[in-house]
Amino acid sequence: MDLKKADEVFRDYLKQYDAEDDKIRLKIAHTYGVVTACKYIAKNMQLQEEDAKLAELIGLLHDIGRFEQLRIYHSFDDSLMPHAQCSIDILFKQNMIEQFLEERHLDEIIYLAIKYHGVYQMPDDMPKRGDMHTKIIRDADKLDNFRVKHVSNMVTMVDVDEKELGTEPITEEIYEKFLNHTPILNSERKTHMDMWVSYLGYIFDLNYPASFQYIKEKDYINKIVDRVPYTNPDTKEKMEQIRKTAQQYVDQMAEQVNK
């Protein structure tokens, strides 16, 4: 598996898109952030060489459909164009996978991992290797989303700036779900602060101890909580409890990395 060649093919593919567009730039940076996270997870899991390289390749390809989604709609809204399905169509219906990978025996794993990397719940009947790689890309995708939430423009992410965000309430349903370690559905969010809390709630859908270790090393919980000036007293109080709950959960799950 030639990851250098795959990267060259990917960069050549991106030439048809406007690299000066903020959303395109965000997704390019996200792609390589996910590759980095995949590599970290694979190393900590001590995977064999083929699986370690495959994890990186899936990271490189998992969002390839996003660029067509942005070209056509200039939006990340999957109700307009499901990006995972678009990625699969580009790779397998248009046979572009052959440019990234000469071997065909890994196609099913790549297909499954990309198809299910963003769904709320994975199927129960996944083949063992496909299940592992789907869980790796799901974790890596969320890990880089923590980076994105730390560094990207707030208005681009939640449609309001930090100051306005900090004036909003967190609904009780979302708050209780977080305290109960429950992932939050997009459809359940009612305020922009609910959206912000739901991003932190990604931790409740991570699969591997290495992923929690990654969050600890980057200090993402504190960075995301502290990014917003909470002038709403109830929100400020809730966010401190959310911080405490998140840190305790991450610490507990990360302890398993050396066991």
Side-chain angles (χ1 to χ4, degrees), residues 225-237:
V225 171
D226 289 339
R227 180 166 179 184
V228 178
Y230 304 104
T231 52
N232 181 312
D234 184 64
T235 296
K236 184 174 183 179
E237 182 178 343

Side-chain angles (χ1 to χ4, degrees), residues 121-139:
Q121 189 170 14
M122 290 170 53
D124 295 327
D125 58 349
M126 296 274 282
K128 184 176 180 181
R129 205 172 173 197
D131 182 83
M132 179 184 74
H133 278 285
T134 303
K135 287 177 178 175
I136 290 173
I137 188 59
R138 285 170 67 87
D139 277 20

Side-chain angles (χ1 to χ4, degrees), residues 186-205:
N186 291 352
S187 60
E188 296 170 332
R189 307 179 305 190
K190 294 180 175 64
T191 69
H192 298 103
M193 268 306 307
D194 288 348
M195 293 174 66
W196 196 239
V197 172
S198 74
Y199 300 145
L200 284 164
Y202 289 162
I203 61 175
F204 305 128
D205 193 34

Side-chain angles (χ1 to χ4, degrees), residues 100-141:
F100 290 103
L101 185 67
E102 292 183 2
E103 307 96 296
R104 301 274 63 82
H105 69 286
L106 299 171
D107 284 2
E108 181 186 17
I109 298 171
I110 297 169
Y111 182 97
L112 291 171
I114 293 175
K115 181 176 182 178
Y116 295 117
H117 81 270
V119 299
Y120 182 71
Q121 189 170 14
M122 290 170 53
D124 295 327
D125 58 349
M126 296 274 282
K128 184 176 180 181
R129 205 172 173 197
D131 182 83
M132 179 184 74
H133 278 285
T134 303
K135 287 177 178 175
I136 290 173
I137 188 59
R138 285 170 67 87
D139 277 20
D141 195 24

Side-chain angles (χ1 to χ4, degrees), residues 159-173:
D159 297 324
V160 297
D161 63 19
E162 286 87 343
K163 185 176 180 180
E164 185 175 351
L165 182 61
T167 68
E168 290 193 5
I170 301 168
T171 59
E172 285 300 320
E173 179 185 7

